[in-house]
Amino acid sequence: MFSSVNLIDRIPPSLRRWYVAPPVIIVALGVVIPLGYLFVRAGQAEWSLLSDLVFRWRNVRLLWNTVSLTGGVLVGTIVLAFPLAWLTTKTSIRGKGVLTLLGVLPLAVPGYVMAYVLLSTTGAYGTLAQIADIVLPRLSGYEGALIALSLGTYPYLFLNLRTALLGLDPALEESAQALGYGRWQVFTRVILPQLRPAFLSGGLLVVLHVLGDFGVVSLMRFETFSYALYLQYQAAYDRVYAACLALMLLALTIGILFLEARLLRGLLLHRTGSGASRNTRRVGLGKWTTPAYIFAAVVGLVSVALPVLTVAFWMTDSAVSGLPWASLGESLWASVSASAPAAVLAALLALPVAYVGVREPSRATRIIERVAYLGYATPPLAFALALIVFTLAGFPIVYQTLALLVFAYALHFMAEAIGPIRSALYQAPPNLEEAARSLGRTPAQAFFSVTVPLLRRGLLVSVAFVFLSAMKELPITFLLSPPGFESLAMKTWSAANEAMFDSAAPYALAIMFFSAAFVGLLLVQEKSRRTEHTGRKPEARA
């Protein structure tokens, strides 16, 4: 049995500081308690009722739809992302910068905007029918959701694979060839195994995105756990079944995370010998050059050009009848008024979490970081429902308020803010803070006067990441927004859901504009980081 003194002694010193403990407690309680309360709410039902709710045929169908869509999108993203990543890293093909942009730019098109584009392009009254008199069957259901999600999420896999391919050491391939391996054997036995972490990390992002997606599946009328959860919440007063669906979705997500962790366990792929790895060797494509360009052109046409041209086409229709400037301004203000404070709050909460994780790594700090990532990994609808159930039971005064929406954004997207701050912390020498303390500064004064200025760039990137993610967020906004609150995302989805494509165009264009700014920031950061690592020569500094 531990005394209170012993328990306090077991807390890492960094967690006992006044400016670290409150944010850490807020993160832990804000994520864990609402999710735990879902179990309490579901457990309040009688066992017979709970059994009927869980073990019903509809849930099996929802599970099959969710898993089959997730697996299909995973295959689709691999088909799109891997060839593009290979072309931009391992070949001598010209225009690799343009091809890299084609692999990243779809991030500027949210999934529900891509679904809106596919719906408004096909069918008897679609864009193709009006411009070229080409009538394609209206995309919907599994096929429509599969195409929209694959086109919108393949950049997550592309970025991971491209980074991994750039880091491959050609000495391993040369050694395999010296042992008599052919090209195909080198590819399957040497290169592919080294890409396993990239496939897993990129694939995990794709899977989490598909499991939590609501906008695409609702527009395509394909019922997965997320869509069924939303319908149940909106249609039924009794929320027990909604809580059960949220827990089933959460269990599926945890199962995926556990599987990914098991597949990564014991994986060790870095060099163990002396010396440094050489640059990746480029290979010529020969007769495959033309097919490679055709493939890249088709991918770029469908994933980038089609959304831009389609939204521009419906925008001209909307402009003829008069652009809704007042409504557009109100929606823009609604999105900014929730996203901006959420971004700042997420960065403020992420700062101490990243700080204790980098400066004083321990089991306790690793658990705190995992809790922060749990909020991000939890499907948005399940997370929002947990907050609703918890606030209605404990704090009804905050239900359907802007404060709750901002809090939910901050907790859900905080994991995006941790990464840039943690990277900046690794580059900030801890001995500067120690030197400040040796000169008589308190720990807080040393932290704010020495370390925080060095983190300014990471903090700005964190704020930008969360801001733009919140601007695009749809399911959390639907469930937690106050009455009368209509963001750009809600306006786009609502108009597209009623097939009013010209009405949705101005809001979709505004979202794409802000998202393009996010992609531009991502590319600038990658270029800046690469310059820092490779562009500074000792003689230049001298």
Side-chain angles (χ1 to χ4, degrees):
M1 180 178 181
F2 299 108
S3 67
S4 58
V5 175
N6 287 335
L7 285 175
I8 292 175
D9 288 342
R10 283 170 169 264
I11 299 175
S14 56
L15 294 181
R16 296 181 219 154
R17 297 171 188 165
W18 65 268
Y19 55 89
V20 171
V24 169
I25 293 172
I26 290 173
V27 171
L29 298 184
V31 174
V32 174
I33 288 185
L35 292 178
Y37 203 77
L38 275 180
F39 288 92
V40 176
R41 185 70 182 91
Q44 290 174 346
E46 295 181 2
W47 171 246
S48 57
L49 174 62
L50 192 61
S51 178
D52 289 341
L53 292 177
V54 174
F55 300 104
R56 59 172 55 178
W57 178 247
R58 183 180 183 233
N59 294 341
V60 177
R61 185 165 53 84
L62 291 175
L63 177 63
W64 169 250
N65 286 352
T66 304
V67 172
S68 61
L69 180 63
T70 304
V73 172
L74 201 54
V75 173
T77 52
I78 292 173
V79 170
L80 295 174
F82 185 70
L84 267 184
W86 183 271
L87 289 174
T88 57
T89 55
K90 299 286 287 182
T91 69
S92 58
I93 193 171
R94 293 185 177 181
K96 285 197 280 288
V98 176
L99 299 187
T100 302
L101 277 176
L102 293 180
V104 180
L105 278 177
L107 285 175
V109 186
Y112 51 87
V113 173
M114 184 62 79
Y116 150 75
V117 167
L118 294 178
L119 287 170
S120 60
T121 302
T122 56
Y125 301 99
T127 313
L128 280 177
Q130 294 188 41
I131 295 179
D133 201 21
I134 299 174
V135 180
L136 295 179
R138 169 67 58 83
L139 281 172
S140 63
Y142 178 81
E143 293 79 11
L146 173 67
I147 295 173
L149 286 168
S150 298
L151 290 174
T153 57
Y154 82 80
Y156 296 117
L157 195 56
F158 168 79
L159 288 170
N160 279 277
L161 289 174
R162 185 171 179 274
T163 302
L165 285 168
L166 286 173
L168 289 181
D169 189 349
L172 294 173
E173 301 171 42
E174 292 167 2
S175 300
Q177 289 172 349
L179 292 172
Y181 283 25
R183 284 190 175 184
W184 179 249
Q185 289 175 311
V186 171
F187 176 73
T188 55
R189 298 188 182 185
V190 177
I191 296 177
L192 274 184
Q194 293 185 80
L195 299 180
R196 189 168 143 196
F199 273 113
L200 288 174
S201 56
L204 179 64
L205 289 176
V206 172
V207 168
L208 291 179
H209 190 90
V210 176
L211 289 179
D213 176 76
F214 160 73
V216 172
V217 293
S218 60
L219 288 175
M220 292 295 178
R221 301 291 190 270
F222 185 68
E223 202 173 28
T224 60
F225 269 120
S226 288
Y227 189 30
L229 175 58
Y230 175 76
L231 294 177
Q232 182 66 24
Y233 173 79
Q234 292 287 25
Y237 181 75
D238 185 2
R239 305 290 161 75
V240 174
Y241 185 45
C244 291
L245 287 175
L247 289 175
M248 284 185 262
L249 184 57
L250 185 60
L252 188 58
T253 304
I254 292 174
I256 296 292
L257 292 173
F258 178 76
L259 178 63
E260 192 256 358
R262 289 283 298 178
L263 292 175
L264 278 175
R265 179 177 295 180
L267 207 57
L268 193 64
L269 296 173
H270 62 74
R271 288 172 60 91
T272 56
S274 59
S277 59
R278 291 189 279 115
N279 291 329
T280 303
R281 189 182 58 181
R282 308 283 190 256
V283 296
L285 288 178
K287 65 179 181 180
W288 292 102
T289 301
T290 301
Y293 279 125
I294 292 174
F295 170 79
V298 171
V299 174
L301 180 67
V302 177
S303 63
V304 179
L306 182 63
V308 173
L309 294 176
T310 303
V311 173
F313 173 81
W314 290 106
M315 187 74 180
T316 57
D317 259 23
S318 180
V320 170
S321 57
L323 290 174
W325 291 110
S327 175
L328 188 61
E330 291 172 3
S331 296
L332 179 60
W333 170 246
S335 296
V336 173
S337 65
S339 303
V344 174
L345 178 60
L348 291 176
L349 293 174
L351 177 58
V353 173
Y355 181 82
V356 296
V358 173
R359 289 287 189 264
E360 298 187 29
S362 65
R363 179 178 292 181
T365 55
R366 281 197 297 273
I367 291 174
I368 291 170
E369 277 193 329
R370 293 302 99 188
V371 168
Y373 281 99
L374 177 63
Y376 187 68
T378 303
L381 279 174
F383 185 68
L385 185 65
L387 283 175
I388 290 173
V389 172
F390 178 65
T391 52
L392 283 177
F395 308 94
I397 193 172
V398 301
Y399 177 61
Q400 286 193 321
T401 62
L402 185 62
L404 181 60
L405 181 63
V406 169
F407 187 63
Y409 279 166
L411 286 181
H412 184 67
F413 293 115
M414 195 183 67
E416 293 185 3
I418 291 177
I421 296 175
R422 187 166 52 188
S423 300
L425 271 168
Y426 277 121
Q427 296 173 348
N431 53 359
L432 291 179
E433 199 173 329
E434 294 168 3
R437 293 181 61 180
S438 68
L439 293 173
R441 300 287 182 89
T442 64
Q445 288 173 331
F447 173 72
F448 285 109
S449 63
V450 176
T451 304
V452 169
L454 296 175
L455 306 181
R456 184 174 52 191
R457 187 170 153 191
L459 285 168
L460 286 175
V461 175
S462 298
V463 169
F465 276 14
V466 177
F467 175 77
L468 289 159
S469 294
M471 287 283 288
K472 296 188 294 183
E473 171 56 31
L474 184 61
I476 290 179
T477 314
F478 258 121
L479 263 60
L480 296 179
S481 60
F485 182 95
E486 290 186 299
S487 66
L488 292 172
M490 294 171 73
K491 279 284 193 180
T492 303
W493 182 87
S494 300
N497 196 40
E498 297 175 9
M500 300 167 63
F501 302 124
D502 54 341
S503 301
Y507 308 101
L509 190 63
I511 292 174
M512 290 172 63
F513 174 78
F514 279 100
S515 303
F518 159 73
V519 174
L521 178 65
L522 187 70
L523 293 175
V524 168
Q525 284 298 314
E526 186 186 7
K527 185 178 180 181
S528 174
R529 197 181 305 121
R530 199 183 311 131
T531 302
E532 284 181 1
H533 286 294
T534 62
R536 293 180 179 175
K537 298 177 180 179
E539 56 270 24
R541 287 199 300 270

